[in-house]
Structure formats: C-alpha cells, structure tokens
Amino acid sequence: MTARGSVRPRPASSFELYSWFFMRISAIIMVLLVGFHLFYMHLVLSVDAINFEVISGRWSSPFWRLYDFFMLTFAWLHCTNGVRIVIDDYVHTQGWSVFAKAILYLFAFIVIVLGSYVVFTFQP
Amino acid sequence: MAAFADWFRAVTYRGREGQIAWMLHRITGLGVFFFLALHIIDIFLMSFGPELFDSLLFFYHQFLFKLSIVFGLFPGVLYHGLNGIRVVAIDFWPNLGKKQAMLWRIQMIVFVIAYIPSAIIMIRSMFGTH
C-alpha cells in the first residue's frame, strides 16, 4: 500500500479469506433463492394465505425441500458469520468475546439442526 | 443525553454514502438475523402437525406483525440484498470502487422502484383486497 517497500504481513490462518469468500458466494446464491422466496410468498401469495397445508404441499416435491434446505443453510451461516464479525467489531474483552461467540455457535448449530430436521423428515 | 450525543456524532460523521450504506447494511443484517432465527424455529414446528402449527399462526397474522413485515423485514432484506450485490461487485471488480457513491445512489433508486409496488401489494392484501 505504501511506497516504503513494506509487504503487508501474511495472516497466520486463511480463515478470514475463506470467510470473506463465503459471504460473497452465499450472497450471490441468496439473491436468487431469497429473492424468489420473498417474491412468491409475500407478493404472489400473502402471509395470510400460508398455513400448514400450503407448506406441506410445497414439500411434496423434493425440489422445494432442497431449495429450502439450501436457503436455510446459506442464510443461517451467512447470518452467523455476520454476527461473528459484529462481535469482533464491538466486543474487545477476550473473555466476553469468547463467551458471545460460544453462544452464537451453539445457537447456530441448534437452528441449523432443527431446520434441516424438519425439511428432510417432514411427512404430511 | 450523552448516548444521544454519541449517536448523533456517529451518524453525522462525514463518511457520506459509504458510511450510510455500511450502517444500514449492519442494522438490516442484524434485524434479519433475529427474524430468521424465529422463522426457522417456527417452520421446525411443522413437524408437530397441523393443529399446533396452524394454532400458532395467529402470531404472524396479527396486524402489528404484518405491519412490521411491510415496513421492517421486507425493506430490510431488499436493502441488504441490493447493497450486498454492490459490495460483491466492487470486491470482484475493484475499479468500480471509484464509483461506489454513484452505485449506491443507483441502488437506492432500484430499491424505491422495487419496494413501492411490493409495499402496495402487501398493504392491500392486509385489508383483504388481494
């Protein structure tokens, strides 16, 4: 960056690079998946029209189950990684930072498991 | 009062479009995080059968919740998505960075064009004219 001939030090781990890349890739995928989801569920249908029967009908096709699984996984990992970055930005005490991230990852795990469980095991 | 002064200083820091874009991205992102947690957990309740699931739908069908979808969730996701596209574009084609402020203005025009008809459709359906 500067003309002093100094080289920016290479980070010890490439985790942040993969994190950055994942956010971009999941963003592009979600623009399509979430874009259509919101368009269809809120504009073509409406919140009032959605009930057990509608979702059950949707999951009679493996396509929509996979669609929902990918949407939920990408969205929730993107969300979790976003909150991790927010914690890094605002929580400077190491103990609190570890504590907040532990809760975040535990919560992320529970939500992914619950969501995937229903998408794959649901029987009408 | 001090908190308000801090807040005012933060939002009037002279970062212009880039700062506003970043702040809105963070606020909408955090908002979507909380909604999405609720949403995945409510869909999980599908596994307990129609009686339980449909009996809890009153929560999503109440007027205040639908209002918060129209004026909170929907514009929040729309902004986060559009701004995300701009961020991705600038990251992959760094030359666009010189035009980031103009791109943000274009993005906000797209936001208004997409949001207004969507909001009208959702508000009309709230009053049963869908």
Side-chain angles (χ1 to χ4, degrees), chain A residues 20 24 28 31 38 42-48 50-52 55-56 59 72 75-76 79 83 86 89-90 107 111 114-115 117-118 122, chain B residues 22 26 30 33 36-37 39-40 43-44 46-47 49-50 53-54 57 60-61 66 69 74 77 85 87-88 91-92 118 121-122 125 130:
Chain A
W20 170 86
R24 270 69 193 162
I28 294 165
V31 164
L38 283 184
H42 290 266
L43 302 183
V44 178
L45 296 179
S46 75
V47 175
D48 286 309
I50 300 166
N51 56 28
F52 185 88
I55 303 169
S56 173
W59 283 346
L72 119 83
W76 196 242
C79 266
V83 173
V86 172
D89 274 357
Y90 300 122
F107 187 55
V111 168
L114 294 184
Y117 171 81
V118 69
F122 177 78
Chain B
W22 174 86
R26 178 149 286 192
L30 285 171
F33 172 84
L36 190 59
H39 187 36
I40 295 175
I43 291 298
F44 166 71
M46 282 288 287
S47 38
F53 188 82
D54 286 347
L57 282 179
Y60 283 135
H61 291 175
K66 287 190 270 187
I69 289 181
F74 205 91
V77 174
I85 294 172
V87 170
V88 171
D91 275 358
F92 287 161
S118 310
I121 291 171
M122 286 185 287
S125 86
H130 194 65

Side-chain angles (χ1 to χ4, degrees), chain A residues 52-100:
Chain A
F52 185 88
E53 210 187 325
V54 170
I55 303 169
S56 173
R58 179 183 157 94
W59 283 346
S60 62
S61 135
F63 174 83
W64 288 113
R65 289 197 193 221
L66 278 180
Y67 186 104
D68 285 355
F69 171 72
F70 282 120
M71 186 163 60
L72 119 83
T73 307
F74 280 120
W76 196 242
L77 292 177
H78 187 102
C79 266
T80 300
N81 199 34
V83 173
R84 178 185 70 85
I85 291 163
V86 172
I87 293 172
D88 275 342
D89 274 357
Y90 300 122
V91 183
H92 300 300
T93 319
Q94 204 199 352
W96 285 112
S97 171
V98 169
F99 177 71

Side-chain angles (χ1 to χ4, degrees), chain A residues 1-8:
Chain A
M1 299 302 274
T2 55
R4 279 180 279 161
S6 60
V7 179
R8 225 190 301 186

Side-chain angles (χ1 to χ4, degrees), chain A residues 8-59:
Chain A
R8 225 190 301 186
R10 281 202 162 255
S13 137
S14 44
F15 177 76
E16 290 298 339
L17 175 67
Y18 289 122
S19 153
W20 170 86
F21 195 63
F22 170 77
M23 291 310 255
R24 270 69 193 162
I25 297 300
S26 57
I28 294 165
I29 294 168
M30 277 197 294
V31 164
L32 303 171
L33 294 182
V34 177
F36 180 76
H37 177 73
L38 283 184
F39 171 77
Y40 189 75
M41 290 302 191
H42 290 266
L43 302 183
V44 178
L45 296 179
S46 75
V47 175
D48 286 309
I50 300 166
N51 56 28
F52 185 88
E53 210 187 325
V54 170
I55 303 169
S56 173
R58 179 183 157 94
W59 283 346

